[in-house]
Amino acid sequence: MPQFAVPEHAEEGKFVGRRITRVENITLLKGKGQFVDDLPTKKGTAEVAILRSPHAHAEVVSIDYSDALALPGVFAVITGEDMLAETDPMIVGFENPIDYRGVALDKVRYVGEPVAVIAARDRYTAEDAMDLVKVEYKVLKPVIDPVEAAKPEAPLIHTKGDSNCVSRRTFTHGEPDDAFAAAKRTNEITIRYPRNSITPMETYAVIAEHMEETGGFDVTSNFQGPFSVHTVMAMALRIRTSALRHHSPTNSGGSFGSKLTIFPYVVVMCVLARKAGRPVKWIEDRLEHLSSANSAPNRVTRIEAAYDDDGIVSALRMEHWDDHGAYLRAPMPAPIYRMHGVSTNGYDIRHLEVVNNIMITNKCPTGAVRGFGGPQLYFAVERMMQVIATELGIDPLEMLRRNLIKAEQFPYKAIAGALIDSGDYHRTVDETVDQGGLEELKKRRDAARAEGKLYGIGYAACVEPSQSNMGYISTLKTGLERERAGPKDGAVATVTVSVDALGSVNVIGDSVPQGQGHQTTLSQIVADELGLRPHDVVVTLDTDTAKDGWSIAAGNYSCRFAPASCSAAHEAAVKVRTKMARIAATTLNVGVDEIEFTKGKIHAKSNPDNAVPFYRVGGLAHWSPSSLPDEMDPGLRETSHWNAPELTPTTANDEINTSLAYGFGFDFCGVEIDPKTGQVRVDKYVSAHDCGTILNPGLAEGQIRGSYVAAIGATLMEEFKYNEEDGSFLSGTFAEYLVPTAPEVPELTLIHPTPNPSPYTRLGAKGIAEGNQYTTPVCMANAVADALGRKDVSTPLTPSKVFEWLHDTEMQPKGATPPAPAKGKGQAIEGVGETLVPASPQEVWNILLDPEKMANVIPGCHELTEVGSNAYEAVVTLGVGPVKGKFDAKINLTDLDEPKSVTLSGTAQGTLGSSSGSGSVTLEAADGGTRVSYTYEVHLSGKVAAVGGRMVRGAARHLIDRFFKALVRQAGGEDDGGGGKRGLFRRGGS
Amino acid sequence: MTKMERAGRYPVEFNLNGEPVDGFASPRMLLSDFLRHEIGATGTHVGCEHGVCGVCTVKVDGKAVRSCLMFAVQAEGAEIETIEGMAEADGSFSALQEAFHQNFALQCGYCTPGVLMSLSEFLGRNPDPTEDEVKVALSGNICRCTGYHEIVQAAMDAAKAIREGAA
């Protein structure tokens, strides 16, 4: 197993830098973790189910939940009406027309938006009650694409505003216009970065209880921070922030950013708990998570570069349409602003123009996803670099080298404001190329190409920001607005180290871990300072906002732990050490600077025998305050609120040092494309990350490998898909939203370059968890572009997409008519077919127009009533795959040409979603009976579309089949048990 | 076979990690919910309830099973093994757990019980697997933290330790 270079200060006997096994494993490996749903709840705690919108955009005409409330075991139901009466909008960092309260008010704006929230004695009962809530919608036209949404004719999603673009800011750094005018060459590409997330295996979980004593609420959830959002919740609930007591348990089942946007549900559950008069617990299910929890913003970027014949880039222009879905949830639209300072990535580019359009569309609202704005930005920048290299005939790696910031330029002030602390990018690249075997890979490429194979090599570099400046989101305001609001900057981290009366050490902190091994790392840091072993230090990281030290930056996001929490832990440990050294100096009768801490003893440096046990000094501070040095406070508990002065506010000309520490990553890869299937096979993938001091190589390597595989998902498989026409959501299970499993992961060659510690963090550590989110998608896209000689590539690089790129021109057989594009962008279920019915056309016609007989023919039909001339209403029970439900159907018959043809059209609505469709039926006499020919087209929305993607076509065929078998039976044909005569039927294709 | 009523609650008894347990379940109650909320054995987690992610994997009569795809009443009389029964009698890690510990083969630990149950069944069938065979055996378990590399290494180490222990 490759080992990281051991950082310089990991001296003999120190634990920082060592591959210490995780203390967290002791419970987790035995199934004794403490995740939210593992915790005991108070007796009488209700469980919650949420009824969600099947429509992307619709007016909520009425909601009737009286039947649901009447169901035994149901305690309370809340809707938007309750939220409107009892909460204020959940605010974001700037004024906008969005009124967001966590449950739909007048309109639903995405599939999966909560409409009614039900508390019942258990989840099963709550879901039963869900089926009894009647919601009437008036469906509106949705808009899915962010560029379309910006057009004046697009449906307006939030009608208090006048555009779906809720913020547009232009940033000018340097003199981009002059640079473009003076440039010898320019080039431009447009990037479409898709929607995805990194879905944690544990979903959202909230337990909430109303506390009459404070008028507030007690909440336990797997919220991850930033705790600035605690304020948003309390303000929405109209309570004092101190009356919103939030606990996060010891364990959280992954997050990757996702669990930031649990906070609207916290607010909703608080309101529900108060109404139900008892604690409530909500555990999100997987469909809810995929459809409605979170997504990284998809983004369209038009990027333009100015450069010379040598490929030296002088200026970049970018316009982003950043798609945030239906609502903005704090701190959105942060991802695009978090990356603002490093808009020029690791390149020495001194002129820049950026236009940020923050777009609202009818999709799930966005939130944090590992990489936080970086994948979108770097995909554009790194594609641009490759396109320029290709145009100029320069090796793309040489192109990178010519533009990268040089070692002697650090700390480097990027043109948009990032103060890039340290690095030696050229050395990192050289080490990666040498150790990763690039020359060998090039030979493999040449050999493959000589055999006619489609083989490409891609490269990508990235600056990896860590520890966010709390002020960066203010960059979206104008200088004047910022001045009015007051300065925002810094990022405070809080850790407390205490030593008790028997000298045992306890550490608490605000890092809210989700599996990264924070307990282990902090024990290493504190043990080193106090001359102890890691297992002498007990680290407790569940949080309680009423008791713990924390500030607005608290939480687990944007690679905050290594630079921030570790610095705070180090500082708190040093404070404890300093105090104990003073006490020991008195006892040992030596100067304070003579004191050392080694192996559980405090002793004089020059005479180790002049020593006192660590625990005894701890005891003195508690048992004998009178024997402490003058003016020393008793006890041993030191809290560090650590902040870095480099995190300054946005300047008047919009420069912002968005993060504190900046690592560097460099990847290259070789891919081969199978021309028969379009599959991208990764031949070799090499990745290197310089993240400064490595605190624990086992943990650091885990972060890189985890990020790499998450990025493999984003690159090759994962995408939240929506029907562009009706906005229905199509990725509701892990069978639709594909994530990598063990056999699908290409081997990673991990290089450990020479580290360049950060001068701004106390241990020199920088974040490491996000690097491959930045590099891998574009590195592979560059390789595919290289293999295909193609300029326009996008992720995910699915076989069907790559196959289309390969074959869109050359594979079309001469003279063949291309298949007509399906309506609804190919997402409708369509089919044609015919069958022979043993009755005359007139008899068949009579059945089709007789409600009683049709009720027997329509699969799953319970009731069919004529409600007007050739208009019917029906109740049908239908199932697709794992879901089954009741639908209210409306059917109209038009274009009646007795007894020859008729058109059926209609809609169906139920808890599983809604559908609309039409079909035409033609009857003609044949073989002593009637040949019934039909075509149909069905659109689905809601749950059935989200989870049934793979199955609905088959299910539709099956239903049509059942329909005609029943028709044959009704017409007096023989019933073979399954219905219908075999051999008479020809299944309709779809 | 008696027909169960939807609203009814029926006694369910089985052996969990060698000890008899019992409780009441409605006919539609999932085995995963029964284990976690009726018995209180929360070591088995729930990840998708669609039978895709493998988080809820337990062993039923020796076979790895998705406990979200099985009703509690179907487990009547079965021998069920979960993560809680994996450690040695003295509380120390089994070879598989120890290999996970040494290899950093878990991060958040949420999928880990399911992964361990799948692997324990697999290594029982195939005590000397190749890395590729381990990967295929893991293809029904999604882990979003580790990237699988360390899990595969741990499985290989565990297989070796078990083989050597048995020899």
Side-chain angles (χ1 to χ4, degrees):
Chain A
M1 182 166 294
Q3 294 293 328
F4 281 90
V6 176
E8 277 169 27
H9 78 279
E11 312 141 26
E12 186 81 15
K14 293 279 184 187
F15 292 98
V16 167
R18 283 207 220 158
R19 200 171 184 276
I20 306 288
T21 52
R22 300 181 352 143
V23 66
E24 291 87 345
N25 294 353
I26 309 297
T27 51
L28 289 172
L29 280 168
K30 291 181 178 176
K32 292 178 181 169
Q34 294 283 291
F35 299 92
V36 174
D37 195 35
D38 300 341
L39 304 175
T41 50
K42 288 188 182 171
K43 287 188 196 302
T45 298
E47 294 187 4
V48 176
I50 301 177
L51 178 68
R52 293 170 182 274
S53 167
H55 300 294
H57 198 192
E59 277 174 38
V60 179
V61 178
S62 66
I63 304 175
D64 175 3
Y65 58 77
S66 51
D67 289 352
L69 207 52
L71 188 74
V74 173
F75 303 123
V77 180
I78 61 168
T79 66
E81 213 169 289
D82 299 86
M83 299 307 290
L84 206 55
E86 296 186 32
T87 66
D88 287 329
M90 286 177 245
I91 55 165
V92 295
F94 67 104
E95 289 202 9
N96 62 69
I98 300 166
D99 184 352
Y100 178 58
R101 313 210 190 199
V103 180
L105 304 174
D106 54 334
K107 287 210 287 188
V108 288
R109 295 179 172 88
Y110 65 99
V111 172
E113 180 167 3
V115 174
V117 189
I118 300 162
R121 67 179 166 220
D122 55 50
R123 173 80 184 224
Y124 293 79
T125 308
E127 289 194 18
D128 286 346
M130 214 159 77
D131 291 352
L132 301 174
V133 180
K134 296 187 196 79
V135 187
E136 198 186 330
Y137 296 101
K138 185 183 164 205
V139 177
L140 304 170
K141 192 174 162 36
V143 59
I144 300 304
D145 181 86
V147 179
E148 290 297 315
K151 293 180 179 168
E153 66 271 23
L156 188 60
I157 296 170
H158 293 281
T159 46
K160 281 180 195 161
D162 53 12
S163 166
N164 295 319
C165 178
V166 290
S167 165
R168 179 183 166 88
R169 284 277 282 129
T170 301
F171 301 94
T172 307
H173 302 288
E175 304 289 344
D177 287 347
D178 293 351
F180 270 92
K184 205 155 177 203
R185 293 167 176 275
T186 64
N187 206 332
E188 180 189 315
I189 50 173
T190 297
I191 299 299
R192 302 185 76 89
Y193 199 88
R195 281 211 151 208
N196 53 35
S197 178
I198 304 171
T199 49
M201 295 319 295
E202 183 204 29
T203 55
Y204 288 0
V206 181
I207 303 166
E209 183 179 7
H210 177 50
M211 307 305 281
E212 289 189 39
E213 187 183 326
T214 60
F217 300 91
D218 221 27
V219 175
T220 301
S221 86
N222 45 18
F223 173 64
Q224 64 168 68
F227 280 49
S228 51
V229 170
H230 179 270
T231 317
V232 176
M233 295 189 271
M235 285 170 71
L237 287 164
R238 300 173 181 159
I239 58 173
R240 295 164 291 166
T241 37
S242 55
L244 177 61
R245 183 172 184 182
H246 184 271
H247 312 256
S248 51
T250 302
N251 297 109
S252 176
S255 171
F256 321 106
S258 292
K259 286 171 179 166
L260 157 60
T261 41
I262 196 173
F263 77 86
Y265 291 104
V266 170
V267 173
V268 171
M269 294 308 148
C270 285
V271 173
L272 182 63
R274 184 162 53 198
K275 192 168 181 183
R278 58 178 70 223
V280 299
K281 175 162 96 166
W282 172 63
I283 306 294
E284 183 191 49
D285 73 23
R286 185 54 60 185
L287 170 60
E288 291 182 288
H289 188 84
L290 290 169
S291 66
S292 327
N294 183 41
S295 168
N298 57 299
R299 189 185 294 177
V300 176
T301 297
R302 190 186 55 75
I303 179 169
E304 195 183 355
Y307 49 96
D308 64 16
D309 289 340
D310 295 327
I312 306 292
V313 179
S314 56
L316 289 178
R317 266 193 196 129
M318 283 181 263
E319 180 161 10
H320 303 292
W321 288 265
D322 205 32
D323 182 352
H324 287 274
Y327 299 91
L328 286 175
R329 305 179 292 191
M332 296 301 109
I336 199 166
Y337 283 96
R338 182 255 199 161
M339 298 305 292
H340 187 78
V342 286
S343 291
T344 44
N345 198 359
Y347 303 115
D348 187 18
I349 299 173
R350 301 311 297 172
H351 305 283
L352 173 71
E353 183 185 282
V354 179
V355 182
N356 288 344
N357 297 290
I358 304 304
M359 300 307 308
I360 297 297
T361 61
N362 290 110
K363 301 206 286 288
C364 174
T366 56
V369 176
R370 191 181 201 166
F372 209 61
Q376 297 92 329
L377 171 71
Y378 292 153
F379 198 94
V381 175
E382 294 300 284
R383 278 295 299 136
M384 189 78 249
M385 297 303 271
Q386 201 223 29
V387 165
I388 297 170
T390 307
E391 180 208 323
L392 297 177
I394 301 173
D395 174 28
L397 183 59
E398 177 56 25
M399 170 86 193
L400 256 60
R401 282 191 171 114
R402 287 182 193 174
N403 286 283
L404 284 172
I405 300 162
K406 293 176 185 65
E408 60 272 21
Q409 291 176 282
F410 292 100
Y412 176 88
K413 185 82 176 167
I415 193 67
L419 179 64
I420 302 179
D421 48 344
S422 62
D424 187 342
Y425 296 175
H426 291 87
R427 182 173 176 184
T428 302
V429 169
D430 290 344
E431 288 175 349
T432 312
V433 164
D434 288 349
Q435 295 171 35
L438 178 62
E439 285 315 310
E440 174 60 30
L441 192 67
K442 283 181 175 171
K443 282 181 197 150
R444 286 230 286 270
R445 174 195 62 192
D446 296 344
R449 285 184 173 174
E451 288 173 40
K453 289 179 177 165
L454 295 167
Y455 195 105
I457 291 180
Y459 307 89
C462 72
V463 173
E464 307 183 28
S466 53
Q467 199 192 350
S468 290
N469 185 340
M470 289 290 104
Y472 73 66
I473 189 70
S474 301
T475 311
L476 81 69
K477 298 182 178 184
T478 61
L480 200 67
E481 287 169 326
R482 280 198 296 272
E483 212 168 286
R484 267 207 307 267
K488 288 197 172 71
D489 57 79
V492 179
T494 311
V495 172
T496 300
V497 176
S498 44
V499 181
D500 68 19
L502 285 177
S504 125
V505 181
N506 182 275
V507 178
I508 60 172
D510 66 356
S511 70
V512 198
Q514 299 143 337
Q516 295 91 340
H518 292 181
Q519 285 171 267
T520 303
T521 313
L522 293 185
S523 74
Q524 291 174 258
I525 293 168
V526 173
D528 274 358
E529 285 314 307
L530 301 182
L532 303 170
R533 293 159 302 178
H535 70 260
D536 295 328
V537 178
V538 174
V539 182
T540 308
L541 295 177
D542 58 316
T543 65
D544 176 347
T545 54
K547 290 183 164 183
D548 297 341
W550 60 277
S551 179
I552 54 154
N556 194 8
Y557 58 93
S558 292
C559 285
R560 170 176 181 268
F561 177 72
S565 301
C566 291
S567 290
H570 185 258
E571 188 176 69
V574 168
K575 282 184 183 176
V576 167
R577 178 195 170 102
T578 305
K579 188 167 177 179
M580 292 180 84
R582 278 184 67 200
I583 300 169
T586 314
T587 312
L588 301 176
N589 208 17
V590 295
V592 174
D593 47 3
E594 261 291 284
I595 295 293
E596 274 194 351
F597 290 62
T598 315
K599 292 185 178 168
K601 285 192 174 148
I602 305 175
H603 58 88
K605 206 182 292 180
S606 51
N607 177 14
D609 290 339
N610 185 15
V612 56
F614 181 88
Y615 73 84
R616 188 164 287 281
V617 176
L620 266 182
H622 293 276
W623 290 108
S624 180
S626 70
S627 56
L628 297 178
D630 290 345
E631 292 166 27
M632 182 182 273
D633 292 333
L636 271 174
R637 183 180 176 92
E638 296 293 337
T639 297
S640 162
H641 298 283
W642 187 79
N643 185 48
E646 292 80 12
L647 293 175
T648 48
T650 311
T651 65
N653 55 344
D654 298 320
E655 287 164 18
I656 175 71
N657 184 24
T658 30
S659 303
L660 177 65
Y662 300 87
F664 179 69
F666 173 69
D667 291 7
F668 67 88
C669 71
V671 305
E672 188 187 324
I673 294 162
D674 181 343
K676 289 203 183 79
T677 62
Q679 182 151 23
V680 178
R681 185 184 68 80
V682 180
D683 183 28
K684 181 161 192 170
Y685 198 98
V686 179
S687 188
H689 301 273
D690 168 16
C691 57
T693 306
I694 301 286
L695 302 166
N696 180 327
L699 299 176
E701 183 166 336
Q703 288 303 310
I704 296 175
R705 290 190 179 277
S707 175
Y708 167 68
V709 173
I712 287 290
T715 307
L716 298 175
M717 306 172 176
E718 296 179 37
E719 183 176 11
F720 289 130
K721 283 196 171 165
Y722 289 84
N723 181 315
E724 291 281 332
E725 202 116 306
D726 65 12
S728 55
F729 177 71
L730 305 170
S731 313
T733 75
F734 277 136
E736 275 79 24
Y737 186 82
L738 295 178
V739 303
T741 61
E744 291 151 344
V745 176
E747 186 70 31
L748 171 66
T749 304
L750 190 52
I751 306 298
H752 304 296
T754 308
N756 291 277
S758 174
Y760 305 144
T761 67
R762 287 184 71 111
L763 296 163
K766 307 178 181 186
I768 195 169
E770 299 181 84
N772 286 90
Q773 300 334 116
Y774 308 133
T775 47
T776 302
V778 67
C779 184
M780 271 194 214
N782 279 343
V784 168
D786 182 45
L788 301 180
R790 190 183 164 91
K791 193 172 172 185
D792 180 18
V793 288
S794 63
T795 51
L797 297 159
T798 58
S800 59
K801 191 195 280 181
V802 175
F803 185 85
E804 226 170 84
W805 293 340
L806 269 169
H807 297 268
D808 53 1
T809 49
E810 67 267 33
M811 282 292 281
Q812 202 60 252
K814 277 182 191 137
T817 327
K823 284 182 188 171
K825 310 222 166 159
Q827 283 146 348
I829 302 159
E830 295 171 317
V832 295
E834 58 179 38
T835 191
L836 201 61
V837 179
S840 70
Q842 187 62 48
E843 285 168 314
V844 175
W845 181 266
N846 291 345
I847 296 168
L848 288 175
L849 269 78
D850 179 338
E852 232 168 82
K853 288 181 176 159
M854 276 303 281
N856 293 328
V857 172
I858 294 170
C861 183
H862 306 289
E863 302 161 35
L864 184 84
T865 39
E866 195 164 358
V867 291
S869 170
N870 296 317
Y872 302 90
E873 280 182 10
V875 180
V876 277
T877 301
L878 297 173
V880 177
V883 292
K884 189 174 177 187
K886 217 180 247 187
F887 292 86
D888 293 319
K890 291 180 179 163
I891 304 157
N892 289 298
L893 304 182
T894 49
D895 307 330
L896 287 90
D897 182 5
E898 186 174 356
K900 290 182 192 155
S901 64
V902 60
T903 300
L904 296 93
S905 57
T907 58
Q909 206 157 113
T911 47
L912 291 181
S914 65
S915 74
S916 62
S918 62
S920 67
V921 178
T922 310
L923 311 176
E924 57 180 321
D927 298 341
T930 302
R931 188 189 311 283
V932 183
S933 316
Y934 54 91
T935 65
Y936 62 89
E937 181 185 314
V938 181
H939 296 269
L940 296 171
S941 189
K943 203 179 276 185
V944 76
V947 308
R950 295 155 301 126
M951 293 172 283
V952 282
R953 281 163 206 280
R957 276 203 300 273
H958 178 67
L959 286 176
I960 301 280
D961 191 24
R962 270 172 67 193
F963 176 87
F964 283 104
K965 280 177 178 175
L967 185 63
V968 169
R969 206 163 47 233
Q970 190 71 39
E974 280 174 44
D975 190 341
D976 65 358
K981 286 181 179 172
R982 292 201 193 280
L984 277 180
F985 287 90
R986 233 177 65 201
R987 286 257 178 104
S990 65
Chain B
M1 203 172 175
T2 47
K3 189 181 174 196
M4 292 182 168
E5 295 300 322
R6 181 188 170 97
R9 279 168 65 78
Y10 297 87
V12 178
E13 286 182 39
F14 52 73
N15 276 341
L16 177 63
N17 301 316
E19 299 284 333
V21 294
D22 60 77
F24 286 88
S26 63
R28 61 178 171 170
M29 180 176 252
L30 304 177
L31 177 58
S32 50
D33 282 346
F34 185 79
L35 283 170
R36 292 179 51 75
H37 302 306
E38 289 293 312
I39 304 298
T42 54
T44 300
H45 300 148
V46 172
C48 75
E49 295 179 295
H50 298 146
V52 184
C53 77
V55 161
C56 66
T57 305
V58 300
K59 286 206 279 185
V60 178
D61 295 329
K63 291 204 173 100
V65 162
R66 312 280 207 225
S67 61
C68 79
L69 290 187
M70 185 168 167
F71 293 117
V73 292
Q74 292 174 296
E76 174 69 26
E79 288 289 335
I80 296 186
E81 293 164 70
T82 63
I83 184 66
E84 285 96 338
M86 186 172 269
E88 304 297 334
D90 66 357
S92 61
F93 282 154
S94 67
L96 191 55
Q97 288 166 315
E98 184 62 27
F100 267 61
H101 182 51
Q102 293 301 332
N103 280 280
F104 290 73
L106 65 156
Q107 289 182 25
C108 81
Y110 195 79
C111 74
T112 309
V115 170
L116 290 173
M117 296 319 288
S118 292
L119 281 176
S120 108
E121 190 223 29
F122 169 71
L123 294 179
R125 279 187 283 120
N126 186 350
D128 193 4
T130 63
E131 281 196 18
D132 283 345
E133 286 168 343
V134 170
K135 287 179 185 173
V136 171
L138 283 169
S139 63
N141 290 84
I142 298 176
C143 167
R144 304 239 64 190
C145 292
T146 62
Y148 306 108
H149 178 86
E150 287 91 344
I151 294 179
V152 175
Q153 298 308 312
M156 296 302 285
D157 283 2
K160 185 160 179 269
I162 293 166
R163 284 196 311 274
E164 284 169 1

